[in-house]
């Protein structure tokens, strides 16, 4: 009888520990919408027209993230998202033309900080991370480009049970696309060559399932 009394608490403790360990992984498939800004470029001539701005058209995006809780409040995740869109080019006079299909992939490693207790029904969080943006044009003889990017944002996780919930999120994704040199004249030191960094900004809002294991 005494052995049974001793074994039962140990069994319950092991089950509880296994259940806690099972909640450390999260997988989130999501769908959303992505907005992008226009990027100024040096004037490009094509068929008698001069273009000085390019833009990825706004559109639907989708992806998945996989995360692991390092502490009850901090988790690390890898996130991938993709947008099938098209490239737009704007002339010096402000007329916009389609320039071909473009798929944009984002790959980021993120750190998330959560507010509230792990078992809270609603749990806000903030995130930040580093990674890359891949531009893949769908055109013959067109080469894709991979550029350094970061992402910053936050959202809320709405728990519907131990293993499932909903995740709502917003992200800002600035991508470094290059630099433009320009000259500044100083009366004493003379000309200085400075560099102006250019970024393509993506703003993504999404919703998806949040599966916990």
């Amino acid at each position: 009888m005494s052995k049974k009394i001793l074994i039962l608490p140990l069994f319950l403790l092991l089950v509880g520990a296994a259940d806690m360990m099972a909640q450390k992984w999260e997988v989130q498939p999501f769908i959303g919408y992505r907005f992008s800004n226009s990027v100024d470029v040096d004037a490009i001539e094509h068929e008698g027209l001069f273009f000085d701005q390019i833009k990825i058209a706004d559109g639907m995006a989708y992806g998945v993230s996989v995360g692991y809780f390092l502490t009850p409040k901090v988790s690390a995740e890898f996130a991938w998202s993709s947008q099938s869109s098209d490239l737009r080019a704007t002339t010096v006079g402000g007329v916009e033309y389609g320039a071909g299909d473009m798929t944009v992939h984002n790959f980021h490693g993120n750190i998330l900080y959560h507010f509230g207790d792990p078992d809270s029904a609603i749990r806000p969080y903030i995130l930040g991370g580093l990674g890359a943006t891949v531009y893949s044009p769908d055109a013959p003889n067109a080469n894709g480009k991979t550029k350094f990017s970061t992402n910053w944002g936050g959202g809320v996780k709405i728990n519907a049970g131990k293993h499932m919930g909903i995740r709502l999120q917003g992200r800002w994704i600035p991508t470094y696309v290059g630099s433009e040199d320009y000259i500044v004249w100083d009366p004493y030191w003379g000309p200085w060559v400075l560099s102006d960094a250019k970024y393509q900004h993506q703003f993504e809002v999404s919703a998806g399932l949040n599966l916990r294991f």
Side-chain angles (χ1 to χ4, degrees):
M1 183 68 180
S2 60
K3 288 183 178 180
K4 292 182 179 180
I5 295 174
L6 179 62
I7 290 173
L8 181 60
L10 287 174
F11 175 75
L12 294 175
L13 182 62
L14 289 172
V15 170
D19 189 62
M20 288 177 63
M21 289 295 292
Q23 305 306 312
K24 287 197 170 184
W25 287 96
E26 289 188 336
V27 177
Q28 182 217 6
F30 62 86
I31 189 169
Y33 198 85
R34 192 182 295 170
F35 306 88
S36 299
N37 70 314
S38 297
V39 179
D40 295 331
V41 296
D42 294 333
I44 303 170
E45 190 275 333
H46 180 69
E47 297 182 353
L49 298 173
F50 290 87
F51 299 88
D52 63 352
Q53 283 187 340
I54 57 173
K55 182 185 188 300
I56 306 295
D58 302 341
M60 299 294 292
Y62 60 90
V64 65
S65 65
V66 179
Y68 180 80
F69 273 90
L70 305 173
T71 74
K73 290 185 178 293
V74 178
S75 66
E77 74 170 11
F78 174 78
W80 162 77
S81 66
S82 181
Q83 176 194 11
S84 297
S85 185
D86 60 280
L87 185 66
R88 306 285 177 84
T90 303
T91 66
V92 175
V95 180
E96 187 176 86
Y97 291 85
D101 295 335
M102 175 76 74
T103 300
V104 182
H105 302 284
N106 289 306
F107 302 89
H108 291 98
N110 298 323
I111 295 295
L112 286 72
Y113 182 85
H114 300 76
F115 300 92
D117 297 325
D119 57 352
S120 299
I122 298 178
R123 203 170 190 204
Y125 65 91
I126 55 176
L127 70 83
L130 309 175
T133 297
V134 180
Y135 300 96
S136 299
D138 184 15
N141 303 319
N143 295 321
K145 297 288 186 181
T146 300
K147 298 291 184 178
F148 172 77
S149 63
T150 63
N151 71 150
W152 312 91
V156 62
K157 297 177 180 179
I158 304 171
N159 297 323
K162 285 186 176 181
H163 300 287
M164 189 174 69
I166 297 172
R167 179 171 167 179
L168 307 176
Q169 179 173 276
R171 287 194 301 162
W172 165 46
I173 309 169
T175 303
Y176 173 76
V177 295
S179 298
E180 182 180 8
D181 294 335
Y182 62 96
I183 298 175
V184 175
W185 181 266
D186 184 273
Y188 182 79
W189 295 103
W192 288 76
V193 178
L194 301 179
S195 184
D196 183 21
K198 292 181 179 291
Y199 290 87
Q200 191 246 335
H201 298 278
Q202 303 169 65
F203 302 90
E204 183 183 277
V205 291
S206 64
L209 292 175
N210 192 36
L211 307 175
R212 294 186 297 278
F213 304 95

